[in-house]
Every structure is written in C-alpha cells, then in structure tokens.
Amino acid sequence: MVKELAKEMRKKFSELGADVPQKEIEAKLDLLVNQYKVPEEEAKRTVFNQYVRDLNLSKPSSDSPLTKIKDITSDGKWISLKAKVVQLWENEKASISQIGLLGDDTGTIKFVCFTKSDLPPVEEGKSYVFKNVITDSWQGRFSVKLNKSTVIIPSENVEVASNDVTMTGAIVDVQSGSGLVKRCPECNRILVKGACVDHGKQEGEYDLRVKAVIDDGKAAQDIILNQELTYKITGIDVKVAKKMAMDAVDPGVVLDEIKRILLGKYFTVKGPVLGSRYLLVKDMQRAPLMDGNPIIQKVEGI
Ligand SMILES: [Zn+2]
C-alpha cells in the first residue's frame, strides 16, 4: 500500500519538477502510516507539505499559468495569481513571514508565505501578480503557498468580488471546539488533546473562538467567530477565559458560558463563506427578538 502511494507521489513530484527518490518517500510514509497509524490521506498530505516546506520542489521550467481564484480546484498545482491582498492576519510564528487573504474578481483565498522563502512583504490593500505559487488544501478549503520560486510584481488595482453574506437568525448550536482553544505554533491549527496532526505534541498558544450554527428559519449556516468578535459578543477575552478555566479546573466552563450567552439569541452576521461551509464572521450585531418565531422553539433549554 505504502509502496503504491509513494510511487504515485513520486510521479506528482516529478510533474512539479522535483526528482525525489521513491525510497525516501516510502520511508516517510511508512513511518506515519505503519508506526504512527496516521490515515493514508493524511500521511500523503503531511509528506507532500513537508517537501513543499523544505522547498525541495524546484520551479517549473516556465511561469505557471495565470489562474482565477474560483478555478483553483486541486492541490499541488503551480499557478500564478493576479490578486489584491484583502487582509493580512496576525502571525507570531517565526516560520511564517506573512499570512492572510488574497482576492480577485472571482473570490478570495488564503495565502501563506514562509520566512525562508525570503520574499519581499506585501501590503494590505495593494494588488500584485504572484508568479509561481503552489496550491494546497485542508479540509476542502484551498490555499496558496508562496515559495522561493515565487515572483511578486506590483500590479494595477484588482477588483475583489464581494462574497459577503448577511444573515439574521437565532443561534441554535454552539459546537464543541468553541471557547478556549490551543493552536499549534507551527501551523496555527487547533490542537486536539495537545497534539497537531502535522507537528505532534505541542505546548500551543491560547486562542478564543466560537463555532456555532445560525438559523434564519430557512437554512442553517455554520459560523466562526475569531477572538475579537467572541469578546465583542460575549465579553470574554483570553485572559478572562483562562481565569474561568483555572478557577473551575475545567476549560469546558468557557464553552458553557458562551452557550449560555448565545444560544437562542438573535443576531445579524456578515462575512464571506469560506470553502462553502463556514461563514467567517466579520461583523455581528444583536437583532431584535422576533416574537413567535418558530426557530426559537428548536433551541434546547429555552
Ligand atoms: Zn501544526
């Protein structure tokens, strides 16, 4: 099984212009699949990302084709993008120089730039042609990785499609994984039982977020609130959450409190829907309670 997988990956690397020994890929896969019991798909992705990160992938012979963001539908592809830097996200990881959101007239996509790629920093609100970036995906959401083969050229202004959705409804669920969480210092993913799928056991950095479901009576929509919005809506910040968790000797109390505050309440949320699943909330307001609205009956404990 591992042998077949390694063969397949070697072909993919070769298409990307890198000659990686099959034995080497096999050894890495074998370790993950057979010793650490990592599922094959995950192992494949981990090994692929390792090679991309180690920058063993050499630049394609000519510049990669200019692609629209909506046309990014597979990972491991060399492409070029003409896009505006819509947002730069906060980043405290030494391995990542910049992370944020790029947009063109067809959509938006996350981008990551690694410190060792040694690229000039981009500015929020400015547009560029990004030549030779690599596509990646995680849980069905695509991103692009800038690398040492990437060339960044300032461009005229790129119009960005507004894919913000506005929705008013009741919060009908606050999901586990909300509240006080820890993120991997390497890749920013949420740690599960103190471990990252890519980087293993980590000390982690505290963060606060809410994953919830809002229902407007016609449809239910998954939403994500970052630390700032969680504070705006619940009044709980990381410091308060840590104290609550410590006092109760249980980080679950933060989730309970967030549930108490949000469940059954009406809000208007606005933001882009990422990867067709999560609405990444940029703005959230309390909406007046609509008497007799059937949604409220669905909420447990109200
Ligand atoms: Zn990680």
Side-chain angles (χ1 to χ4, degrees), residues 35-74:
Q35 281 193 241
Y36 291 106
K37 308 291 174 209
V38 175
E40 273 184 19
E41 270 307 304
E42 225 172 277
K44 218 169 99 178
R45 197 180 51 76
T46 303
V47 172
F48 183 80
N49 283 345
Q50 248 175 43
Y51 278 106
V52 173
R53 262 176 224 153
D54 293 347
L55 303 172
N56 282 343
L57 296 182
S58 59
K59 185 185 169 175
S61 50
S62 60
D63 281 335
S64 315
L66 200 60
T67 305
K68 291 284 190 188
I69 288 172
K70 75 163 171 29
D71 295 327
I72 297 172
T73 51
S74 60

Side-chain angles (χ1 to χ4, degrees), residues 184 186-189 196 198-199:
C184 173
E186 296 287 325
C187 67
N188 217 30
R189 278 182 203 132
C196 166
D198 265 2
H199 302 101

